[in-house]
Amino acid sequence: MNYLDASTETELGAVATVLQAVQNRARTCWVDIMVVGAAARAILIRHVVGSPPQRATRDSAVAVNSWSEVACLTSSMDPTPGGAHHFLVLGIEVDVI
């Protein structure tokens, strides 16, 4: 699988740092993640369309395949108020669905 390294884009620097932390945790769980939502849109707009992304939110979201994967992935994350799938990673909210 090919991976996009968004860490070189200044607009996506915080997103890349947070997603790298999530990916590192996912590897320990043998879980594949898929970036979804505004973060995915921003990456596509920057790297497919070539325009600077315009984001209204700082949060990111990832999807996994099962509740057991959610449990493993989030076991070391700090939950935030507002739902069972909201967590803080490096001070940024990440939704895991």
Side-chain angles (χ1 to χ4, degrees):
M1 178 177 285
N2 292 326
Y3 294 94
L4 170 67
D5 181 4
S7 63
T8 59
E9 297 294 333
T10 56
E11 304 96 357
L12 301 173
V15 171
T17 300
V18 168
L19 291 176
Q20 184 62 59
V22 173
Q23 177 62 33
N24 290 343
R25 175 64 187 158
R27 282 189 187 116
T28 68
C29 296
W30 295 90
V31 169
D32 290 324
I33 62 170
M34 181 172 66
V35 180
V36 297
R41 179 182 165 274
I43 292 167
L44 286 173
I45 287 173
R46 170 40 101 196
H47 293 282
V48 174
V49 178
S51 299
Q54 296 180 354
R55 294 193 49 170
T57 63
R58 289 190 64 213
D59 68 330
S60 293
V62 297
V64 297
N65 289 314
S66 68
W67 285 112
S68 62
E69 290 183 356
V70 170
C72 184
L73 183 63
T74 61
S75 64
S76 64
M77 295 179 184
D78 296 322
T80 64
H85 63 279
H86 300 289
F87 300 89
L88 282 181
V89 176
L90 304 174
I92 305 266
E93 187 174 308
V94 175
D95 295 341
V96 180
I97 55 171

